[in-house]
């Protein structure tokens, strides 16, 4: 894959003038059981050296590491400004996790749910239990309406009422056996523990690109198409950083998060650091009409 995107050309006069190039109630111990051993952190497997220089960032008042440019004069006297997305940050894989407890609903076909959601008393008992379980923090109730809004915002084709209400919590030491134990309790349809996503706390949004099999009717994104998507992102006001995650790293991240050994249908992914949450609303319109994009969503 190319590591440099040529996006502009300036005359020699501009270069020699000194102007810099800028780029733009059950006992808790019965439910929790034994906790699995913590995995040793590993370094991110795929990363490359940053091609964006700090000096170019500083010349436009940006933070080091922001989308930036490097320039040089070619044999034809033209200064080419080359801009690249940032590589995957060098960081250990997260060892924490998250818990999602989906409540019964009218749409749930399980016999135990009897075609209705939990009573208020059942929800209170579930919440109290989760807050008492060792290793859980940040227990939060997510209504069906909020889940529906999030899905629609992320471009997921969901019908209203199709996503049930849930409780979510942070898990200090992920224990995959906790989900099935909680799922046996009244009012709970299913529950699952996930490992923390590699990009949690590192980026605010992601743009998933077409890989070999994840976009219907076509193959992986081409270099030209990737260039166009990156150019649209890097010039979008409020986008501070653009990282490019390789397909290999994305697959490894998915396997770790989901405890799966299969290979998902994914491609490369651009991960974005935004100046504020409202910038997300501009991303999808900025990419409209550009081929090679599968999905735009927030990191939640």
């Amino acid at each position: 894959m190319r590591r440099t995107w040529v996006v502009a050309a300036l005359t020699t006069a501009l270069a020699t003038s000194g102007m810099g190039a800028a780029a733009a109630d059950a006992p808790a111990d019965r439910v929790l059981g034994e906790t699995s051993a913590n995995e040793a952190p590993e370094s991110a497997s795929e990363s490359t050296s940053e091609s964006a220089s700090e000096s170019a960032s500083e010349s436009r008042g940006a933070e080091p590491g922001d989308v930036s440019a490097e320039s040089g004069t070619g044999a034809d006297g033209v200064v080419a400004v080359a801009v690249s997305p940032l590589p995957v940050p060098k960081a250990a894989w997260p060892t924490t996790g998250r818990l999602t407890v989906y409540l019964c609903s009218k749409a749930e076909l399980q016999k135990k749910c009897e075609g209705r959601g939990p009573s208020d008393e059942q929800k209170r008992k579930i919440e109290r239990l989760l807050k008492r379980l060792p290793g859980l923090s940040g227990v939060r109730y997510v209504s069906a309406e909020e889940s529906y809004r999030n899905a629609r915002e992320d471009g997921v084709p969901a019908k209203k009422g199709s996503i049930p209400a849930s409780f979510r919590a942070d898990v200090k030491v992920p224990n995959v056996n906790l989900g099935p134990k909680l799922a046996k309790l009244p009012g709970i349809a299913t529950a699952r523990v996930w490992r923390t996503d590699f990009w949690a706390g590192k980026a605010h949004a992601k743009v998933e690109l077409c890989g070999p099999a994840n976009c219907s009717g076509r193959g992986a994104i081409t270099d030209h198409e990737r260039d166009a998507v990156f150019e649209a992102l890097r010039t979008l006001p409020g986008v501070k950083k653009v990282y490019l995650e390789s397909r290999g790293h994305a697959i490894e991240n998915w396997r770790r998060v989901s405890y799966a050994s299969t290979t998902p249908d994914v491609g490369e992914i651009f991960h974005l650091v935004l100046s504020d949450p409202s910038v997300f609303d501009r991303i999808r319109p900025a990419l409209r009409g550009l081929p090679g994009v599968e999905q735009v969503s927030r990191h939640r």
Side-chain angles (χ1 to χ4, degrees):
M1 180 196 307
R2 291 179 300 163
R3 295 297 179 185
T4 301
W5 277 250
V6 178
V7 297
L10 304 176
T11 63
T12 304
L14 183 59
T16 57
S17 68
M19 296 176 62
D25 283 302
D29 55 352
R30 292 184 186 176
V31 177
L32 183 60
E34 296 182 357
T35 302
S36 60
N38 204 2
E39 292 187 357
E42 299 176 16
S43 298
S45 58
E46 295 187 34
S47 60
T48 59
S49 60
E50 293 192 18
S51 61
S53 66
E54 292 186 7
S55 59
S57 297
E58 292 169 356
S59 70
R60 61 188 177 92
E63 298 177 3
D66 283 8
V67 178
S68 58
E70 295 177 339
S71 63
T73 304
D76 56 357
V78 174
V79 178
V81 181
V83 183
S84 300
L86 299 172
V88 174
K90 295 181 179 179
W93 292 99
T95 58
T96 55
R98 56 189 173 89
L99 167 69
T100 303
V101 178
Y102 290 104
L103 304 180
C104 287
S105 67
K106 292 180 179 179
E108 179 54 58
L109 300 179
Q110 290 189 50
K111 185 178 180 180
K112 61 174 289 188
C113 290
E114 298 179 338
R116 62 173 182 268
S119 65
D120 291 341
E121 180 59 26
Q122 284 177 326
K123 285 194 287 187
R124 284 192 291 267
K125 286 184 177 181
I126 294 168
E127 184 174 11
R128 287 198 298 266
L129 170 63
L130 295 177
K131 289 182 176 180
R132 291 202 315 268
L133 287 176
L136 295 191
S137 62
V139 176
R140 185 172 79 92
Y141 175 74
V142 180
S143 68
E145 290 75 15
E146 180 180 347
S147 295
Y148 172 71
R149 288 196 304 270
N150 291 342
R152 292 300 298 267
E153 184 182 68
D154 293 344
V156 178
K159 293 182 179 180
K160 199 165 187 178
S162 61
I163 305 176
S166 63
F167 282 102
R168 298 180 187 178
D170 297 323
V171 182
K172 186 175 182 180
V173 180
N175 177 8
V176 71
N177 297 317
L178 177 58
K181 292 179 179 179
L182 289 172
K184 296 177 182 178
L185 301 179
I188 297 177
T190 186
R192 185 166 182 180
V193 173
W194 313 78
R195 290 192 184 98
T196 301
D197 191 288
F198 175 84
W199 293 95
K202 299 182 182 70
H204 302 110
K206 59 182 177 179
V207 178
E208 298 177 56
L209 307 177
C210 292
N214 59 316
C215 291
S216 179
R218 61 158 296 153
I221 192 169
T222 66
D223 286 343
H224 179 74
E225 291 169 340
R226 189 190 307 105
D227 292 354
V229 174
F230 172 66
E231 177 68 4
L233 292 173
R234 81 168 190 90
T235 57
L236 187 64
V239 174
K240 297 183 65 177
K241 297 181 181 181
V242 181
Y243 295 96
L244 179 60
E245 181 181 31
S246 70
R247 182 171 180 265
H249 192 277
I251 290 173
E252 179 66 14
N253 184 42
W254 184 88
R255 286 173 173 170
R256 287 174 173 270
V257 168
S258 63
Y259 291 88
S261 59
T262 56
T263 300
D265 290 335
V266 297
E268 299 168 299
I269 304 175
F270 282 123
H271 297 269
L272 315 177
V273 177
L274 309 178
S275 60
D276 63 77
S278 66
V279 178
F280 180 80
D281 297 331
R282 308 174 198 161
I283 298 174
R284 197 172 284 114
L287 301 181
R288 187 170 293 130
L290 295 181
V293 176
E294 181 196 18
Q295 184 172 299
V296 178
S297 59
R298 293 184 189 271
H299 282 293
R300 302 187 186 279

